[in-house]
């Protein structure tokens, strides 16, 4: 066993132990698991008091971010070459179009994320009804009984409970989950997932504060693969070992608490702090190790949403690869095939936005272009940025 295999084994074993004994790592405990929130109570001081765990998570995340910035500054002062590695590549290439106008595609994507977040947190309260027979494969903790519909993550992490459902319940889960997966694929991650919105908000905060992100390399992305497989194994198999993946999942530290549900947080609370800190420096960090996202991505060969490339128009500038939050190098390196859709692609459109060649990259649905790269958009970004 090589050094890399040994490190991977240690990481996987550590995560397995933390997951299995998650209930012993109490982040926040409550005495009662009550649920009485109504639309009138959402803006009351009593509801605000129930948001204390989220406030604690936010404060710890902010402290962690400041600590990381201070440590990195010390590294830069002591070793400028090593420090520049962590701040140069990603911002230099992806940031060159920071000044361009927001496209209609991006407006729609953010509107979908914000709107669906509201529905998956407060949908039952706002609409007065829930879609109990529909399971959407996103991380939106079903402990929150006020969300619009069920989230597939719960039964995928509790296969033993899924098997105990009536046949009609199992059929509803399978049909609705597979339906969303086959039609949307990981577009669900880029447009609908509440955890995705939380990560994108952290990215926007970093941009607003002008803090440099961390440039990921191929080797760093490869190092995350064992972590993703470990998360996947824990999600689909922990229930058979007597554990509960929900005590390890960061989603439970978001949706249920936001609606005022009293829940106890265990390892999930610590993991949520880690996810927010990591997503501040590396966009969509959790998506790169998300077990549910990987399962959804298995349908990338048949989903109608595609990323297409005109290889003759590509100048191999690398802007698409630098901008991709999932680190998909195939978009940059492919020189023969037009379809460059990858299992990890969340259809965020960042590669298309940053591509400086007309129609070199496009995001399509059933063959029809929805978002196409334009040289003028990138040039405009240069000009606006130079005048800032």
């Amino acid at each position: 066993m090589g050094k890399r295999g040994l490190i991977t084994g240690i990481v996987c074993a550590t995560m397995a132990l933390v997951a299995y004994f998650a209930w012993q790592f109490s982040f926040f405990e409550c005495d009662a698991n009550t649920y009485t929130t109504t639309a009138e109570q959402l803006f009351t001081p009593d509801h605000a008091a129930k948001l204390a765990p989220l406030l604690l998570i936010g404060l710890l995340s902010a402290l962690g971010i400041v600590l990381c910035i201070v440590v990195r500054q010390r590294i830069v002062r002591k070793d400028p070459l090593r420090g520049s590695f962590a701040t140069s590549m990603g911002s230099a290439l992806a940031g060159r179009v920071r000044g361009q106008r927001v496209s209609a595609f991006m407006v729609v994507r953010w509107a979908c994320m914000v709107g669906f977040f509201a529905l998956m947190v407060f949908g039952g309260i706002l609409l007065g009804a829930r879609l109990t027979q529909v399971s959407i494969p996103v991380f939106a903790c079903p402990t929150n009984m006020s969300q619009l519909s069920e989230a597939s993550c719960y039964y995928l992490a509790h296969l033993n409970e899924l098997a105990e459902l009536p046949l009609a319940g199992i059929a509803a889960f399978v049909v609705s989950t597979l339906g969303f997966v086959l039609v949307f694929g990981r577009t669900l991650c880029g447009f609908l997932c509440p955890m995705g919105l939380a990560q994108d908000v952290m990215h926007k905060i970093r941009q607003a504060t002008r803090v440099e992100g961390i440039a990921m390399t191929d080797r760093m992305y490869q190092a995350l693969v064992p972590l993703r497989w470990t998360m996947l194994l824990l999600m689909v198999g922990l229930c058979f070992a007597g554990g509960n993946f929900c005590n390890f999942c960061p989603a439970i530290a978001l949706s249920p608490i936001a609606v005022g549900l009293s829940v106890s947080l265990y390892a999930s609370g610590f993991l949520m702090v880690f996810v927010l800190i990591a997503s501040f420096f590396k966009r969509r960090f959790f998506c790169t190790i998300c077990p549910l996202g990987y399962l959804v991505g298995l349908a990338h060969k048949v989903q109608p949403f595609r990323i297409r490339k005109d290889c003759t128009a590509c100048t191999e500038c690398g802007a698409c690869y630098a901008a991709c939050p999932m680190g998909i190098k195939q978009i940059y390196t492919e020189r023969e095939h037009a379809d460059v859709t990858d299992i990890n692609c969340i259809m965020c459109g960042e590669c298309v936005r940053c591509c400086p060649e007309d129609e070199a990259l496009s995001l399509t649905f059933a063959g029809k272009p929805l978002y196409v790269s334009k040289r003028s958009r990138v040039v405009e970004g240069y000009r606006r940025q130079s005048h800032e």
Side-chain angles (χ1 to χ4, degrees):
M1 179 184 296
K3 182 178 179 181
R4 183 176 178 181
L6 179 62
I7 295 175
T8 299
I10 293 174
V11 170
C12 294
T14 302
M15 285 193 61
L17 286 173
V18 172
Y20 187 74
F21 298 104
W23 59 86
Q24 296 185 11
F25 297 86
S26 177
F27 180 91
F28 179 86
E29 284 190 281
C30 61
D31 296 328
N33 194 10
T34 57
Y35 184 83
T36 58
T37 305
T38 64
E40 293 75 18
Q41 293 174 320
L42 288 177
F43 303 100
T44 62
D46 181 62
H47 178 74
K50 293 181 180 179
L51 302 180
L54 280 182
L55 178 61
L56 178 59
I57 288 172
L59 289 174
L60 290 176
S61 300
L63 289 174
I65 289 169
V66 172
L67 179 61
C68 290
I69 294 173
V70 171
V71 170
R72 185 167 64 180
Q73 288 176 342
R74 289 177 62 89
I75 293 175
V76 171
R77 285 197 297 268
K78 291 184 178 182
D79 189 348
L81 182 62
R82 182 183 176 188
S84 63
F85 166 76
T87 61
S88 57
M89 178 183 167
S91 56
L93 291 174
R96 60 171 151 188
V97 288
R98 189 179 296 163
Q100 68 179 225
R101 297 181 186 276
V102 180
S103 65
F105 176 87
M106 291 300 175
V107 172
V108 170
R109 191 173 83 85
W110 274 91
C112 288
M113 286 195 297
V114 174
F116 196 76
F117 179 87
L119 290 176
M120 288 306 287
V121 177
F122 309 105
I125 297 174
L126 298 176
L127 302 179
R130 296 181 69 244
L131 304 175
T132 56
Q133 297 300 311
V134 176
S135 292
I136 303 177
V138 294
F139 262 129
C141 183
T143 302
N144 173 14
M145 297 301 292
S146 184
Q147 61 190 27
L148 174 67
S149 72
E150 300 295 332
S152 304
C153 57
Y154 181 80
Y155 282 120
L156 288 174
H158 298 81
L159 295 175
N160 53 336
E161 294 188 24
L162 176 64
E164 295 174 358
L165 291 178
L167 185 59
I170 297 176
F173 169 81
V174 173
V175 170
S176 58
T177 299
L178 282 181
F180 277 102
V181 169
L182 294 176
V183 174
F184 296 101
R186 290 203 74 172
T187 306
L188 295 167
C189 306
F191 280 74
L192 302 184
C193 184
M195 281 294 295
L197 175 63
Q199 295 177 85
D200 277 349
V201 168
M202 295 304 294
H203 172 72
K204 288 297 182 182
I205 293 174
R206 183 186 65 77
Q207 287 186 321
T209 54
R210 297 186 179 276
V211 175
E212 294 284 0
I214 294 178
M216 296 286 289
T217 64
D218 292 346
R219 189 172 182 178
M220 294 166 71
Y221 277 116
Q222 286 298 318
L224 293 176
V225 173
L227 193 59
R228 182 181 64 198
W229 278 103
T230 302
M231 292 283 287
L232 180 60
L233 291 173
L234 291 175
M235 179 179 178
V236 300
L238 192 60
C239 59
F240 299 110
N244 185 1
F245 183 78
C246 293
N247 288 342
F248 191 65
C249 175
I252 198 173
L254 182 63
S255 173
I257 297 175
V259 81
L261 178 63
S262 298
V263 293
S264 294
L265 301 180
Y266 299 94
S268 56
F270 295 103
L271 186 58
M272 188 60 176
V273 172
F274 173 75
V275 167
L276 292 180
I277 295 174
S279 299
F280 180 86
F281 292 101
K282 190 268 179 267
R283 187 175 185 181
R284 290 278 182 149
F285 171 81
F286 184 72
C287 291
T288 61
I289 63 172
C290 177
L292 180 60
Y294 183 80
L295 291 176
V296 172
L298 294 175
H300 73 286
K301 294 290 187 181
V302 297
Q303 68 183 48
F305 286 95
R306 321 294 302 171
I307 295 292
R308 302 190 66 82
K309 176 180 180 178
D310 183 349
C311 296
T312 60
C314 176
T315 58
E316 300 184 61
C317 66
C320 55
Y321 177 52
C324 178
M326 303 301 290
I328 302 173
K329 198 172 185 178
Q330 175 186 344
I331 303 176
Y332 164 49
T333 58
E334 181 60 55
R335 303 304 303 165
E336 296 181 0
H337 300 96
D339 191 344
V340 291
T341 310
D342 186 82
I343 190 173
N344 296 309
C345 182
I346 61 174
M347 299 294 164
C348 64
E350 286 298 315
C351 58
V352 178
R353 181 182 73 88
C354 293
C355 179
E357 302 301 330
D358 287 332
E359 301 183 7
L361 284 176
S362 60
L363 191 157
T364 66
F365 177 77
K368 299 189 180 298
L370 300 178
Y371 191 35
V372 181
S373 62
K374 294 182 180 180
R375 176 184 291 271
S376 59
R377 184 165 54 225
V378 177
V379 172
E380 179 190 27
Y382 273 124
R383 291 173 178 171
R384 288 170 60 89
Q385 190 173 348
S386 63
H387 288 87
E388 290 180 356

